[in-house]
Amino acid sequence: MAFSENKGSVVIQTAGLTKRYGELTAVDHLNMEVCKGEIFGLLGPNGAGKTTTTLMLLGLTQPDEGVATINGLDCTRDPIEVKKTVGYLPDNVGFYGSMTGRENLRFMGRINGLEKEELENRIDGLLERVGLTEAADKKASAYSRGMRQRLGIADVLMKEPDIIIMDEPTLGIDPEGVRELMWLIRDLADSDGKTILLSSHQLYQVQRVCDRMGIFVQGQMVACGTLEELGQQINSSGVNTVELAAYPDNIKLLDILKEINGVMEIEKNSDLYIIRSSYDLRRALSKKLTERGYTIMHLRQAGSDLDEIYRKYFEKNGGKDGEDDREGKKRDKKLSRPQSAV
C-alpha cells in the first residue's frame, strides 16, 4: 500500500548510527525516519544488521557512532524514558510455561502498576483483541508459536505503548497464523494509531503489511520507500519489462508484438514472452491482442513485487546472505520476556 502523506511527524530517527563488533560493521551509518502511525519494515537477510539496529533503539546496545532518538529522546542516554512509550516483541517470546496466558498477562500488568478491576478488564479486552479468549486459561507451555506471538502482542499492549518494535514476528509460524498476525499488526496501526517498526526477511509478509520498507544489505540501508517507490528507483534505467502469455501462441503473435510502438526486444522463455520496451505497454498490449482475437493468459510488469525488487537491490549492492548477527542475537536471547515493562 502507498504511504500516506497524512501520516504524522517523525517519531523514530537515526543519524549516522553505526555499530562495530571488531572488524565487522554490523550497522553502517544508518539514517532512518519512521513516522507516527505507520508500519515500517526493516528488510534484509540474517546478518544484515536488523537486530543490532533494534537493540540500539531500545538502548540495549550502545552505538559506536551516530545517534538514535525516539520521540525526541536519546535511546542511549534516556533508555528508561524511551521504554515508557515503546513495547518490544522479540523473535522468540518467552513466557512462564506453568502459568496460563491470563496469569502471564496479570503478572506483567502488576509490574506495570495495574491493579484489580482495571487490570482484569484490560486483560479480558486484550485477550479478545488478539483472539486468545478461549485459550486464556490454558498453560502457556501448550501454546503454539503463533499463539505465543499473539500473547506477546497482548503482553506488549498491557502498558498501552505508542510505539511497538517487533523482531521477526512471523518466524516459524504456520500460514494461517501468519495471516492472523499480519491482520492484527495492520489493525494496530489503522485502528489504534500505533507506530510499528518490524524487522523481517519474509518478503511477502512485509509487502502485505508495511507502509514503507528499508532494504538492508551488509549493514547499510541501500533503499527506502513504498513498494512503488522502490520499484521506480531500481528500474530507473528507462527500460520496462513485461511478461506475457497469450492464446493461441502462434507465429502471428510474435509479429503482432513487434508492431507495437516502443518495443525494444522480445525474448521467449518457455510459454512466456519477455518484452522490453521504452514505456509501460501493458495497456497497448491488451488492446492490440484483444482486437486480434487473442486471450491474455498472463500479463505482469516485471519488478513490481518485492521479491524481485529486493533481489535486484541485493545483487546491485554485492549482497551475500550471511550468517546470523551473532552479537545481536546473543543479547536478544537474554531478553526472556517482551520488554514492555522495562
Side-chain angles (χ1 to χ4, degrees):
M1 63 190 67
F3 176 62
S4 171
E5 295 296 334
N6 295 323
K7 291 287 183 181
S9 57
V10 174
V11 293
I12 301 176
Q13 187 171 39
T14 68
L17 195 65
T18 303
K19 182 64 181 179
R20 302 182 185 91
Y21 297 108
E23 296 182 356
L24 171 67
T25 301
V27 177
D28 191 357
H29 295 89
L30 172 64
N31 297 313
M32 177 180 71
E33 292 184 345
V34 180
C35 295
K36 180 177 176 59
E38 77 167 315
I39 302 178
F40 188 96
L42 291 178
L43 177 64
N46 294 332
K50 304 186 305 296
T51 295
T52 299
T53 297
T54 295
L55 296 179
M56 286 190 285
L57 289 171
L58 293 167
L60 299 173
T61 293
Q62 292 190 3
D64 294 306
E65 295 179 34
V67 64
T69 61
I70 294 181
N71 284 331
L73 296 169
D74 189 303
C75 297
T76 302
R77 296 179 180 177
D78 303 300
I80 301 301
E81 291 301 311
V82 166
K83 290 185 180 74
K84 287 181 180 179
T85 59
V86 177
Y88 174 49
L89 188 74
D91 63 345
N92 189 16
V93 186
F95 289 105
Y96 297 106
S98 60
M99 295 166 57
T100 66
R102 186 186 303 277
E103 289 168 341
N104 272 282
L105 292 183
R106 186 177 293 128
F107 175 79
M108 182 56 69
R110 286 172 177 165
I111 289 178
N112 280 283
L114 299 175
E115 295 181 359
K116 299 179 181 179
E117 187 175 352
E118 180 186 5
L119 173 59
E120 297 306 317
N121 287 339
R122 187 170 298 183
I123 289 172
D124 289 341
L126 289 174
L127 286 169
E128 182 177 0
R129 181 73 184 276
V130 301
L132 288 176
T133 299
E134 294 183 3
D137 297 311
K138 294 181 179 178
K139 300 291 185 183
S141 59
Y143 282 16
S144 68
R145 186 178 179 91
M147 292 170 70
R148 289 198 304 271
Q149 289 297 89
R150 283 186 281 145
L151 184 63
I153 291 178
D155 190 277
V156 166
L157 293 173
M158 284 298 294
K159 67 169 187 177
E160 299 182 329
D162 298 324
I163 298 165
I164 302 174
I165 297 177
M166 302 179 174
D167 192 1
E168 298 281 1
T170 62
L171 192 63
I173 300 178
D174 63 84
E176 179 61 20
V178 168
R179 186 191 67 80
E180 293 174 352
L181 191 61
M182 288 294 98
W183 181 90
L184 177 58
I185 292 172
R186 187 68 254 176
D187 192 56
L188 287 171
D190 292 342
S191 300
D192 295 40
K194 304 294 184 186
T195 303
I196 299 174
L197 173 67
L198 65 86
S199 69
S200 180
H201 67 277
Q202 305 286 348
L203 307 185
Y204 178 62
Q205 295 163 15
V206 170
Q207 179 175 337
R208 289 172 60 194
V209 75
C210 290
D211 296 300
R212 291 191 302 139
M213 293 151 279
I215 296 180
F216 260 60
V217 178
Q218 297 181 341
Q220 295 183 329
M221 185 181 289
V222 299
C224 178
T226 64
L227 181 63
E228 181 180 9
E229 289 168 346
L230 292 174
Q232 290 173 348
Q233 292 168 26
I234 201 65
N235 292 318
S236 59
S237 62
V239 177
N240 285 264
T241 303
V242 168
E243 298 173 354
L244 170 74
Y247 179 83
D249 184 359
N250 52 31
I251 193 170
K252 291 183 179 180
L253 176 57
L254 182 60
D255 293 334
I256 294 171
L257 297 178
K258 291 178 179 178
E259 293 175 4
I260 299 175
N261 291 332
V263 171
M264 300 163 58
E265 182 180 69
I266 302 174
E267 175 186 343
K268 187 73 180 295
N269 183 2
S270 185
D271 59 343
L272 285 181
Y273 288 89
I274 311 300
I275 307 167
R276 296 177 179 85
S277 61
S278 57
Y279 69 102
D280 183 354
L281 46 64
R282 284 175 293 177
R283 182 175 298 179
L285 275 171
S286 298
K287 184 174 184 296
K288 177 75 73 172
L289 294 179
T290 300
E291 289 175 348
R292 300 292 184 90
Y294 286 84
T295 300
I296 295 176
M297 311 299 293
H298 173 84
L299 182 60
R300 188 181 77 93
Q301 178 85 21
S304 60
D305 49 38
L306 188 55
D307 57 348
E308 187 166 355
I309 291 170
Y310 176 74
R311 177 183 56 80
K312 289 181 179 179
Y313 275 111
F314 199 62
E315 293 173 352
K316 180 180 178 182
N317 290 276
K320 183 178 180 181
D321 196 350
E323 300 175 352
D324 286 346
D325 183 350
R326 289 191 177 92
E327 292 297 328
K329 290 295 181 184
K330 284 178 183 177
R331 293 170 188 249
D332 194 35
K333 287 179 180 178
K334 293 179 182 179
L335 309 175
S336 60
R337 295 190 53 79
Q339 299 299 299
S340 55
V342 178

